[in-house]
Amino acid sequence: MAGDVIRTKNFVADAAKFIVDLAHKALAERHEFRIALSGGNTPRPIYSEIARIGRDLPWERILITFGDERCVPPDDPQSNFRMARDTLFAPASVPEKSIMRMRGEIDPQIAAQQYQDDVDLLATQRGEQIYRHDLILLGLGDDGHTASLFPDSPALNEANRRVVANFVAKLNAWRLTFTFPLINHARHVCFLVNASKQEKLIDRVISGDPQLPASRVNPAAGKLTWILGE
C-alpha cells in the first residue's frame, strides 16, 4: 500500500482544494463527479471549507454517497449525514437529488441492502459492473479502522457485497459501511488524517500491516492519496 503522501500545515485548506480540484477535473472529463463522504470530526471543517470555496460547482452534476453511517436517525448528533448536511449540504445549497443518504434509522440489514441496490442502479445506468467513485474520502481510527471496517469485524472478509451492515463488538452496535470491493474499485481514494495524534499508526498502515483494516485499501486501478495534517 503506497500512494501519495501529502504532509501539510494547512490541512483544512489543502484538503478542501484537493477535493474541489478533483471535482472540476472529473466534471471536465466525464460531466459528473461521484464522491463518497466520510464521517467523524476530522472532515467537518473541510466540508465547511468546500462549501465556501466550491460555490461555483454544479452541484446538480455531483453525486454524493456515504462510505459509512451510524445506525441512528438523520437528525441524531451522531449521524454522518447530519454532520455533512450542517457543514456542506445546507451552506452550499446542494440539491436533494445529488445526495444519497444511508438510512441509519431502519433495520441495518435492510438499510445496507437498499443502499447497495441504489449504488448498483447507478452503475447499471452507466453500463458499469460496479459503481465507480471518482473519489472516496476515508478517515483512520486509532484502532486502524476505516469507514466502519473495524478490526475483527465480519465485513472485513466480504468479497462480493458492496455495502453491508457490520456488527462492531467493541461498540456493541451496528454500522452501515462500504466494503473493500467497492472502496478498491474507486478512481481515487483519499485518507484525511490529523497526523499529529497517530504517527506510528499511519506508518503501520502505509507499510501494509495486515492487522489494520485501513492497510487493505488499495485501489486496483485507481490512485491513493494521504493528506496528513501536521
Side-chain angles (χ1 to χ4, degrees):
M1 172 178 187
D4 297 335
V5 179
I6 299 167
R7 297 178 187 275
T8 171
K9 296 214 173 0
N10 303 312
F11 178 63
V12 170
D14 286 352
K17 184 178 184 310
F18 174 86
I19 293 162
V20 170
D21 286 350
L22 210 58
H24 284 299
K25 188 167 171 283
L27 286 157
E29 286 173 12
R30 291 178 296 278
H31 309 294
E32 65 176 1
F33 178 54
R34 316 169 181 189
I35 181 172
L37 302 183
S38 61
N41 284 314
T42 303
R44 187 185 292 265
I46 297 169
Y47 296 165
S48 298
E49 180 68 2
I50 292 170
R52 195 182 70 79
I53 66 171
R55 293 206 186 282
D56 62 334
L57 283 170
W59 289 103
E60 72 285 353
R61 289 199 279 126
I62 295 175
L63 267 167
I64 302 167
T65 52
F66 284 83
D68 73 320
E69 184 56 279
R70 282 86 179 258
C71 291
V72 296
D75 285 329
D76 191 288
Q78 289 291 302
S79 164
N80 288 340
F81 167 78
R82 178 181 169 170
M83 187 272 280
R85 184 189 64 194
D86 293 352
T87 53
L88 177 58
F89 304 158
S93 304
V94 179
E96 216 160 285
K97 69 173 183 65
S98 292
I99 304 159
M100 279 176 56
R101 177 174 80 81
M102 286 182 165
R103 295 180 64 198
E105 72 277 20
I106 64 171
D107 175 281
Q109 308 292 342
I110 295 172
Q113 186 61 53
Q114 280 187 357
Y115 208 76
Q116 176 169 287
D117 290 346
D118 289 345
V119 168
D120 286 352
L121 178 62
L122 291 174
T124 303
Q125 289 167 342
R126 289 155 179 77
E128 299 170 352
Q129 288 281 303
I130 298 181
Y131 183 65
R132 191 160 195 213
H133 286 87
D134 293 309
L135 177 62
I136 295 179
L137 299 175
L138 293 174
L140 179 64
D142 292 331
D143 57 359
H145 84 264
T146 192
S148 280
L149 297 163
F150 285 79
D152 304 319
S153 65
L156 296 183
N157 301 316
E158 181 56 55
N160 296 310
R161 284 182 296 173
R162 293 154 295 288
V163 183
V164 295
N166 194 28
F167 186 73
V168 183
K170 74 170 191 177
L171 304 173
N172 192 30
W174 287 91
R175 291 283 184 90
L176 304 171
T177 187
F178 282 6
T179 59
F180 290 121
L182 183 58
I183 292 170
N184 286 331
H185 194 63
R187 287 193 173 87
H188 210 130
V189 178
C190 179
F191 279 94
L192 301 171
V193 188
N194 279 319
S196 49
K197 60 175 182 177
Q198 37 200 10
E199 190 100 22
K200 282 195 181 72
L201 177 68
I202 293 163
D203 290 344
R204 279 177 65 198
V205 174
I206 290 176
S207 65
D209 184 333
Q211 289 180 307
L212 304 174
S215 66
R216 291 167 62 178
V217 173
N218 197 2
K223 286 185 179 157
L224 179 64
T225 301
W226 289 78
I227 302 181
L228 307 179
E230 306 260 85

